[in-house]
Amino acid sequence: MKFILSIAALSAGSVAAFAPSAFMPKSLSVASSSSLNMALADGVKPIIIGVAADSGCGKSTFMRRLTNIFGGDVVGPLGGGHGTEGGWETNTLVSDLTTVICLDDYHINDRNGRKESGLTALNPIENNFDLMFEQIAALKNGDTIMKPIYNHANGTLDTPEKIEATPIIIFEGLHPMHDDRVRDLLDFTLYLDISDDVKLNWKVQRDMEERGHSLESIMASIEARKPDFDAFIDPQKKDSDMIIEVLPTALDKDDKKTLRVRCIQKEGVSDFSPCYLFDSGSTIEWSPAADKLSSPAPGMKLKYGTEDYMGKPSQVVEMDGNFDNLQELVYIESALSNTKTKYYGELTQAMLSLADAPGSNNGTGLMQTLAAFAIRDLYEKKSAIAAKALNEKAAAKA
Amino acid sequence: MKFILSIAALSAGSVAAFAPSAFMPKSLSVASSSSLNMALADGVKPIIIGVAADSGCGKSTFMRRLTNIFGGDVVGPLGGGHGTEGGWETNTLVSDLTTVICLDDYHINDRNGRKESGLTALNPIENNFDLMFEQIAALKNGDTIMKPIYNHANGTLDTPEKIEATPIIIFEGLHPMHDDRVRDLLDFTLYLDISDDVKLNWKVQRDMEERGHSLESIMASIEARKPDFDAFIDPQKKDSDMIIEVLPTALDKDDKKTLRVRCIQKEGVSDFSPCYLFDSGSTIEWSPAADKLSSPAPGMKLKYGTEDYMGKPSQVVEMDGNFDNLQELVYIESALSNTKTKYYGELTQAMLSLADAPGSNNGTGLMQTLAAFAIRDLYEKKSAIAAKALNEKAAAKA
């Protein structure tokens, strides 16, 4: 798991927006316990979200954004405290409403086993999709499961842990959309697509500039991993409902830090209508007025348009650049529609309340927050449908 | 006046948006008389508008758009009928509220005189700015003038005609902003800037394709006129409050007919705030949704942004392309702010009611209409100020 570890190290860098950095489970001062999990209302099934990301990176920040929007304020590793006391660790994060499960826990072999097989964890053969399917199906039905644990620290498979169904369950990892049976169980799918250029920029910044590694060794580690990544991970983009693409800025070709982030939203997804800028269905490029939004060089540009994404009609919102003052985001929020917020300014408020989280000054934080609102909206639509069915059932009995 | 005549011929072409074509004074079936002119209200001075255009082209269409918006429905040459009966012609158009005066009437020499002088009518020496200043000042004061007439048909100077002040007086021609004294009397100035490429395209279409002239002779006539044009006409752009720039489309370099029209609006003009697309002060490129606005190839693109125009801060709205269905303009209208309309849809209604006028399917008609609304707005602000002053005066007496 060398690459995952190096990415995890990377992700502590200031530019790694989807990285756990400021909110690694171990650094949590308030730990939750499973007793805090909100019980599922009668007749309401969990909503299951798949998040494909290039490693374990991103779950903490995204979880914080989700929890923040859902109103929960206690987030931490399952069975809080065990990680530092009991000698074993969990990859599972829980809050009042949400459980985030890392798909690394479904690795078939431990690190030694993969040394024998000669395969990377990116290879589907190294992952137990039968068990994954079975357990996601059980959770979706509201049942409790005993999920294996893959120990990232020492590369072993630890004693399974008990997972109870919460209203929202997020499966995050390398292959949430790889297996058709699993994918069919997912209510919404998100792919975090960090471009090769950005991965390289991040690695260079961290491993070369700060740690003195050679560019050759960095390139070699990326190249070694690329065939399996391209074969098994990347194709999942095609079937994702939303893809958050992180690219180098297009505003200055010499700028290696500023990010251009595209949120690709598929059309025709059940209970999901894409967010847009100014005017639905058109194509727009927008450089906000400098006196309303202050942004450091190379400036700020937003785009919106419809496009064919890998053969599927999609709507894309893009932000290129950083903002200096997060409060001014309300100006951009006022130009966005279908954000699934409940009141004017909620998007800005959500970003402001996590101003310290990685990516809060650029499009990664914005698009993660848009994804979080979309998931809340999906959950509420599903709950409303379930509640209506229950009422009708009760009325029929009375 | 060879060039002016050739332009006048040109302007009957379907693409010549500012051309009189469909609404030449002689083709009017309903002629007005000066008795139809609305009297100026007590204490209200006429508002004087300068329109610089590359010849007599454009006044009829623009006049129609203005009259249409002001509510007048009778437009025609001053002293209606004389043109066909009396053997002499007027260049002056009148409606209930508006008088359009052609500055060719201030030529010093007739055509024979210019043959002797060897100068073109573009040369300021060939124009009587002292008389122009004197007569504009008189009209602005509400007085009646006896204005000379330049007869375009035979190139002679005819018997002067009586002009009474109407609430809005437009001075249209080659040099409305050339003389500082005249320019200072103008309440709003508009420059219709047909680019060399478009002029050439129009001339080629008309004189070469339809009349068999050679490209060489067309180029020669343009080149011959260019030095004086560049020296005396073009510099007036710098001091205009609004410039309507007509360029070839930027959407297809082989397309010689579709127009890109930019409305450059200076900042800091008294009683005038620029129209903008979506968001004031920002920079936007917008391709409307195809299912909301149908446009023939090469499509439709709008832009908005701030820019430095010849050293002056300006805001620019641009339309590139034609629309198939004028009723769909309401979709674009809904994206424009500060149009100075009085109700939602008024801009579209104004364009629809003149659907047959040249340029009604593209940006020339749109920008002319925006200019007309801006002029109405200026007039109403001025009238309101005058009415307030009158009321205060009356109250002081009582």
Side-chain angles (χ1 to χ4, degrees):
Chain A
M1 291 299 285
K2 179 172 175 290
F3 186 80
I4 286 186
L5 286 173
S6 71
I7 284 285
L10 250 186
S11 61
S14 62
V15 292
F18 294 117
S21 65
F23 212 77
M24 286 294 284
K26 284 183 191 167
S27 70
L28 282 172
S29 53
V30 181
S32 73
S33 78
S34 59
S35 66
L36 282 171
N37 288 354
M38 181 184 272
L40 278 164
D42 259 2
V44 179
K45 301 292 186 193
I47 175 173
I48 314 280
I49 311 294
V51 178
D54 188 2
S55 75
C57 75
K59 76 179 161 193
S60 301
T61 302
F62 186 51
M63 174 80 172
R64 280 181 79 188
R65 296 201 190 279
L66 259 179
T67 306
N68 177 50
I69 285 164
F70 274 81
D73 56 358
V74 179
V75 187
L78 183 67
H82 284 264
T84 47
E85 294 166 14
W88 57 270
E89 300 192 31
T90 179
N91 300 313
T92 306
L93 295 177
V94 291
S95 78
D96 305 21
L97 273 174
T98 316
T99 302
V100 182
I101 291 169
C102 178
L103 292 178
D104 290 350
D105 290 333
Y106 293 93
H107 286 343
I108 282 174
N109 289 308
D110 60 13
R111 202 173 290 158
N112 284 331
R114 281 203 301 279
K115 274 181 188 162
E116 279 184 39
S117 76
L119 300 175
T120 72
L122 298 165
N123 195 316
I125 295 170
E126 287 290 343
N127 295 276
N128 190 343
F129 288 103
D130 291 343
L131 182 63
M132 199 188 294
F133 166 63
E134 188 182 293
Q135 296 204 330
I136 293 178
L139 287 171
K140 187 158 187 166
N141 197 42
D143 300 336
T144 295
I145 60 166
M146 289 304 290
K147 183 187 62 55
I149 297 178
Y150 177 79
N151 186 325
H152 285 100
N154 56 31
T156 59
L157 293 166
D158 290 343
T159 313
E161 64 188 350
K162 186 176 166 185
I163 304 283
E164 291 169 359
T166 52
I168 296 165
I169 301 172
I170 296 173
F171 281 87
E172 168 274 326
L174 294 168
H175 304 94
M177 288 86 91
H178 176 80
D179 185 283
D180 286 350
R181 299 165 301 167
V182 173
R183 196 179 62 225
D184 287 347
L185 292 173
L186 302 175
D187 294 294
F188 193 75
T189 52
L190 178 65
Y191 188 103
L192 303 179
D193 186 15
I194 317 295
S195 72
D196 289 347
D197 283 341
V198 171
K199 276 183 205 165
L200 179 61
N201 289 345
W202 287 356
K203 280 182 84 72
V204 164
Q205 187 185 328
R206 183 82 193 183
D207 293 353
M208 194 165 103
E209 294 176 8
E210 296 176 21
R211 298 183 172 182
H213 294 190
S214 71
L215 183 60
E216 290 69 31
S217 73
I218 293 168
M219 299 291 282
S221 78
I222 289 178
E223 287 304 314
R225 203 165 165 281
K226 198 167 164 53
D228 276 2
F229 186 84
D230 288 351
F232 306 121
I233 311 303
D234 196 69
Q236 297 176 99
K237 291 194 292 200
K238 191 173 177 296
D239 293 312
S240 297
D241 298 324
M242 182 186 281
I243 299 99
I244 298 181
E245 223 175 64
V246 183
L247 303 149
T249 179
L251 300 173
D252 176 0
K253 65 181 170 50
D254 296 324
D255 185 325
K256 303 288 187 194
K257 292 191 176 179
T258 305
L259 299 176
R260 176 164 79 100
V261 185
R262 281 161 39 93
C263 183
I264 297 145
Q265 308 160 90
K266 298 279 173 67
E267 290 183 355
V269 174
S270 170
D271 290 328
F272 173 72
S273 60
C275 166
Y276 62 87
L277 194 61
F278 289 118
D279 176 43
S280 177
S282 64
T283 301
I284 287 182
E285 291 189 25
W286 178 42
S287 303
D291 59 347
K292 299 185 206 168
L293 185 90
S294 168
S295 59
M300 168 72 74
K301 190 166 198 172
L302 289 103
K303 290 189 187 180
Y304 163 71
T306 56
E307 68 179 53
D308 180 282
Y309 182 84
M310 301 179 84
K312 301 202 177 153
S314 304
Q315 296 189 27
V316 181
V317 171
E318 172 180 323
M319 174 179 275
D320 191 345
N322 300 326
F323 17 91
D324 280 331
N325 182 353
L326 194 44
Q327 292 191 311
E328 292 172 344
L329 178 65
V330 75
Y331 162 48
I332 288 174
E333 181 176 355
S334 70
L336 292 168
S337 295
N338 262 357
T339 54
K340 291 92 182 173
T341 53
K342 296 186 174 179
Y343 53 88
Y344 178 73
E346 189 184 15
L347 177 62
T348 303
Q349 198 179 77
M351 293 276 284
L352 270 175
S353 65
L354 292 176
D356 63 318
S360 287
N361 70 329
N362 66 38
T364 58
L366 176 70
M367 303 312 175
Q368 281 185 332
T369 306
L370 284 174
F373 280 119
I375 290 168
R376 180 182 71 178
D377 191 57
L378 272 166
Y379 168 67
E380 293 183 348
K381 280 176 180 155
K382 280 213 146 201
S383 303
I385 291 165
K388 193 181 168 218
L390 272 182
N391 285 341
E392 284 170 0
K393 203 171 162 186
K397 274 189 187 166
Chain B
M1 292 300 287
K2 179 170 177 288
F3 187 79
I4 287 186
L5 286 173
S6 70
I7 283 284
L10 251 185
S11 61
S14 61
V15 291
F18 294 118
S21 65
F23 211 77
M24 287 295 285
K26 285 183 190 168
S27 70
L28 282 172
S29 54
V30 181
S32 72
S33 77
S34 58
S35 66
L36 282 171
N37 289 352
M38 181 183 272
L40 277 165
D42 258 3
V44 179
K45 300 291 185 194
I47 176 173
I48 315 280
I49 312 292
V51 179
D54 188 2
S55 76
C57 73
K59 78 180 162 196
S60 300
T61 301
F62 186 52
M63 174 81 173
R64 279 181 79 188
R65 297 201 190 279
L66 260 180
T67 306
N68 177 50
I69 284 165
F70 275 81
D73 57 358
V74 180
V75 186
L78 183 67
H82 284 263
T84 48
E85 295 165 15
W88 58 271
E89 299 193 31
T90 179
N91 301 312
T92 307
L93 295 177
V94 291
S95 79
D96 304 20
L97 272 175
T98 315
T99 303
V100 181
I101 291 169
C102 179
L103 292 178
D104 291 350
D105 289 334
Y106 293 93
H107 287 341
I108 282 174
N109 289 309
D110 60 13
R111 202 172 291 159
N112 285 331
R114 280 202 302 279
K115 274 181 190 160
E116 278 184 41
S117 77
L119 301 175
T120 72
L122 299 165
N123 194 316
I125 295 170
E126 286 288 345
N127 295 275
N128 189 344
F129 288 103
D130 291 343
L131 182 63
M132 199 188 293
F133 166 63
E134 187 184 295
Q135 295 203 332
I136 292 178
L139 286 170
K140 188 158 184 166
N141 197 41
D143 299 336
T144 294
I145 61 167
M146 289 303 292
K147 183 188 60 58
I149 297 177
Y150 177 80
N151 187 324
H152 285 100
N154 57 30
T156 58
L157 294 166
D158 289 344
T159 313
E161 64 188 351
K162 186 175 163 187
I163 304 283
E164 290 168 0
T166 53
I168 296 165
I169 301 172
I170 296 172
F171 280 88
E172 168 274 325
L174 293 169
H175 305 93
M177 288 85 91
H178 176 81
D179 185 283
D180 285 350
R181 298 165 302 167
V182 172
R183 196 179 63 227
D184 287 347
L185 292 173
L186 302 175
D187 293 294
F188 193 75
T189 52
L190 177 65
Y191 188 103
L192 303 178
D193 186 15
I194 317 296
S195 72
D196 288 347
D197 283 342
V198 170
K199 276 183 204 165
L200 178 62
N201 289 345
W202 288 355
K203 278 184 84 74
V204 164
Q205 185 186 331
R206 185 81 195 185
D207 293 355
M208 194 164 103
E209 294 175 9
E210 294 175 23
R211 298 184 171 180
H213 295 191
S214 71
L215 183 59
E216 289 70 29
S217 73
I218 292 168
M219 298 291 281
S221 79
I222 288 177
E223 287 304 315
R225 202 164 164 282
K226 198 167 163 54
D228 276 1
F229 186 84
D230 289 350
F232 307 122
I233 311 304
D234 196 70
Q236 298 176 100
K237 291 194 290 200
K238 190 172 177 296
D239 293 313
S240 296
D241 299 324
M242 182 186 281
I243 299 99
I244 298 181
E245 223 175 65
V246 183
L247 304 149
T249 179
L251 300 172
D252 177 359
K253 66 181 169 50
D254 297 323
D255 184 326
K256 304 287 188 196
K257 291 193 177 178
T258 305
L259 299 177
R260 176 164 79 100
V261 185
R262 284 162 37 94
C263 182
I264 297 146
Q265 308 160 92
K266 299 278 173 68
E267 290 184 356
V269 174
S270 170
D271 290 328
F272 173 70
S273 60
C275 166
Y276 61 87
L277 195 60
F278 290 120
D279 176 42
S280 177
S282 64
T283 302
I284 286 182
E285 291 190 26
W286 179 42
S287 303
D291 60 346
K292 299 185 207 169
L293 185 92
S294 169
S295 58
M300 169 72 74
K301 189 166 197 172
L302 289 103
K303 291 189 186 181
Y304 164 71
T306 55
E307 70 179 52
D308 180 284
Y309 182 84
M310 302 180 83
K312 298 198 178 159
S314 303
Q315 296 189 28
V316 182
V317 171
E318 172 179 323
M319 174 179 274
D320 191 345
N322 299 327
F323 20 88
D324 280 331
N325 182 354
L326 196 43
Q327 292 190 311
E328 293 172 342
L329 179 65
V330 75
Y331 161 49
I332 287 173
E333 181 176 355
S334 69
L336 292 168
S337 295
N338 260 358
T339 55
K340 291 91 182 174
T341 53
K342 296 186 175 180
Y343 53 88
Y344 179 73
E346 190 183 14
L347 176 63
T348 303
Q349 198 180 77
M351 292 277 285
L352 269 173
S353 66
L354 292 176
D356 65 316
S360 286
N361 70 331
N362 66 36
T364 59
L366 176 69
M367 303 311 174
Q368 281 186 331
T369 306
L370 284 175
F373 280 119
I375 290 168
R376 179 181 71 177
D377 191 58
L378 272 166
Y379 169 67
E380 293 183 349
K381 280 177 181 156
K382 280 213 148 202
S383 303
I385 291 166
K388 194 181 167 219
L390 273 182
N391 284 341
E392 284 169 358
K393 203 170 161 187
K397 274 188 188 167

